[in-house]
Amino acid sequence: MSEKRVIFRGTALPLLLLAPQLAVTAVFFLYPAAQAVRQSMFRSDAFGFGERFVGFDNFSALLNSARYWDSVGVTAVFAASVAIITLVVSLALAAAVDRLIRGSSVYSTLLIWPYAVAPAVAGILWWFLFNPSIGILAYVLRTFGIRWDQFVNGDHALILVIIAASWAQISYNFIFFLAGLQSIPRSIMEAAAIDGAGPVKRFFTITLPLLSPTVFFLSVINVVYAFFDTFAIIDTTTAGGPGRDTTTLVYSAYSDGFLGQNFGSSAAQSVLLTAVVMVLTIVQFRFVERRVHY
Amino acid sequence: MTHAFKTAALAAILLSGAALPAAAQTEIQWWHSMSGELGTKLEGLATAFNETQSDYRVVPVNRGTYPESMTAAIAAFRAGEQPHILQVFEVGTGTFMAAGDAIYPVQELMADTGEAFDREGYLPAVVGYYSTAEGEMLSFPFNSSTPILYYNKDAFEAAGLDAETPPTTWDELAEAAATIVESGAASCGFTTTWPSWLNLESFSAWHNTPIATRQNGMAGLDTEFEFADAGLVARHWANLAEWQQTGAYQYRGRGSDAGPAFRSGECAILLESSAGRAAILANTDFEVGFGMLPYYDDVEGAPQNSIIGGASLWVMRGKDEASYPGVARFLAFLSSPEVQADWHQSTGYLPITQAAYELSQEQGYYDENPGSDVGIQEMTLNEPTENSQGLRFGNFVQIRAMIEEELEAALNGSKSAEEAVEAAQTRGNEMLREFEAQNQ
């Protein structure tokens, strides 16, 4: 490999070159994160007149709350479903487009479109489609004898948010998978074909292993997405209901903080949520990445 | 070169001159949550006020739903960017009453600025809701509403029911709803907007049953919920769950999300705020009937009187001193009988002053629009008791969401109605204690 490596002497220049990025990280991540950690140890009134230090009370209240653990469960089901559905569907779509000889750019463009839709709009779109009064999909389901009701039936509501959240993320996955597929050398595939391997066999023995870095990267991204970026979708489709059946951890932090003005608990939830995602990411890098071949 | 410079300088002078009159106007920010027909009407009020004088300019800004605008204003206050006037729904009253120096009590504002203000002119049930225990009015009642019953006369006829007589008791309503569904006149019998307001809060007031101790929270922060104790709420929720199974009742979400189910003709009966009238009349192609809220006729004291909902205007402190006389003048403008009567008649909100009510009567409004006074009749049916004068709880936005969670659990069968009501009471009391601790 003839890689060009630049060696810096001293530390001043590298630091200077990194400074803009470090400054952005400090202002937009480190400072707010420190504020959240600080606020998680206080209790304050809505308008910010009084503040009282309570140590880890906010955390212990959360960990002793059955509702918080319910949210953990909902989040686990939600995040796992979104990550898996998104990966499988977008890989299938990318493989289909990759096999096309003509018109693949048209299909790619069409499949990338949903990514331009804002999450809140995506949420409302699916809310409409499944609305038991006016939704076309709810109507179709009724003809199959399924009385769809996302307002009362918790399973229906959870399915709805999983579909909406997955749909919004498929485009992103699709782009990476398509690029990954197109970078697989044709010669390997042709050699395998000559040896008598059918398309399915080629896919599982050659394509998928060669795509493993992409799959790994996307699975990390999808889990982070499901944990943090799905707030708008949940808010516009189910608002966490019925009951608390679609209240994920990030939605719970929002409703306690913004609707309830319970800033201490909300900050504690954010800190815990960030910690959970950090642990998950570390686990993914430590254990899953070993199976990845670059 | 010099010529171009001169032209530019002249243009600049002209421009700054043109901008002068506008700069002399003091801007008054008004955050509200009215959209659709009501939003248009509200913007009209601001425009009308701006045209009456040239010193102030009221700028209405829609900041989303009631909970959204309230939380946005609280966040803005913490950042020093609050509006002058904020429309807060009745559920937020407890939070804002406890806000101390963040708010400028309206009665004090009127006195400070020398604006005429007659507290006695307001309807007692309305003004009582927004006053301290000592009787000082803290916020300005603007759009007060009360829930009423709307029904689809065409669907009633198609189902063979008497289209001129709305159901008055829950038994009658359940029977009518079942008949409608069975006959195929509509696929859904009835639905409710604002589930907690309709099926717990005003429901309890209407049956003269307490929601909480300390006069439903009006008398102090140490209030405790007791709505589960009488068993009436559990009985009602159990009925709703049963009717949900047959389609007689269909739950269609929180807030006013159920409105479209009635307007589209899917549900034949709707329990909604009297302020839903404008949107309902504008968006339905069937004949709409109006009725009072249903009640359980074996409950002593029912029907009592309904409680108000809607919102009031809170003035926030910390703005430029010169703007407050303008705020006071605007509030005085809003309470004038002509403006109030017009707002009441075109929206379905209650008239907040006696004078506006009388003016509407003189104008023959109620005779020409049968059913438009149902809300007022409900409000004034009986002298309000401690159970029906209103309610005031801290953290109530969150508590209401929690009540709706529990109601949904009862409806989908994951809890029995008793369990759900008990859980709502226990969780509600935890939230009340938390608010009490935060505001001591």
Side-chain angles (χ1 to χ4, degrees), chain A residues 39 44-49 67 132-133 147 149 151-152 239 241-245 256 258-263, chain B residues 67 71 74 77-78 96 99 102 244-245 251-254 266 395 397-398 405 408 411-412 427 430 434 438:
Chain A
Q39 203 162 40
S44 67
D45 70 297
F47 290 86
F49 290 119
R67 283 184 300 283
S133 308
R147 217 177 106 187
D149 192 343
F151 296 114
V152 172
R244 290 174 67 83
D245 292 345
D256 288 352
F258 285 87
L259 295 182
Q261 273 93 44
N262 191 344
F263 299 114
Chain B
T71 50
I74 290 173
F77 181 82
R78 291 171 79 110
F96 273 77
Q244 169 83 28
Q245 291 298 315
Y251 183 83
R252 280 287 178 270
R254 304 176 187 178
E266 190 203 3
N395 272 346
V397 180
Q398 214 180 359
E405 283 172 20
E408 286 162 354
L411 291 177
N412 66 24
R427 288 176 65 187
E430 285 165 17
E434 199 160 297
Q438 278 165 5

Side-chain angles (χ1 to χ4, degrees), chain B residues 113-135:
Chain B
T113 54
E115 200 67 51
F117 175 71
D118 173 25
R119 195 176 178 278
E120 302 307 311
Y122 293 84
L123 293 185
V126 174
V127 74
Y129 202 104
Y130 298 114
S131 300
T132 60
E134 291 76 43

Side-chain angles (χ1 to χ4, degrees), chain B residues 41-199:
Chain B
K41 195 73 203 166
L42 181 144
E43 309 252 322
L45 291 179
T47 311
F49 173 73
N50 292 340
E51 278 164 6
T52 61
Q53 46 75 50
S54 55
D55 296 339
Y56 307 99
R57 199 163 70 85
V58 174
V59 184
V61 186
N62 183 321
R63 297 294 305 221
T65 63
Y66 284 133
E68 283 166 3
S69 64
M70 177 172 149
T71 50
I74 290 173
F77 181 82
R78 291 171 79 110
E81 303 282 335
Q82 70 274 26
H84 296 82
I85 308 173
L86 173 68
Q87 185 187 27
V88 179
F89 63 160
E90 87 285 11
V91 182
T93 305
T95 298
F96 273 77
M97 282 192 74
D101 291 339
I103 55 133
Y104 199 156
V106 164
Q107 204 166 332
E108 197 182 319
L109 166 79
M110 295 310 228
D112 289 352
T113 54
E115 200 67 51
F117 175 71
D118 173 25
R119 195 176 178 278
E120 302 307 311
Y122 293 84
L123 293 185
V126 174
V127 74
Y129 202 104
Y130 298 114
S131 300
T132 60
E134 291 76 43
E136 189 194 16
M137 196 157 101
L138 292 180
S139 69
F140 176 82
F142 169 61
N143 55 321
S144 296
S145 61
T146 201
I148 63 169
L149 179 149
Y150 297 86
Y151 68 103
N152 180 339
K153 288 191 175 180
D154 297 4
F156 266 55
E157 249 165 51
L161 295 164
D162 179 3
E164 294 315 308
T165 329
T168 56
T169 66
W170 278 107
D171 291 342
E172 286 175 26
L173 184 127
E175 214 182 294
T179 311
I180 286 162
V181 174
E182 278 158 26
S183 69
S187 64
C188 147
F190 78 104
T191 187
T192 50
T193 55
W194 307 103
S196 168
W197 190 41
L198 265 303
N199 297 307

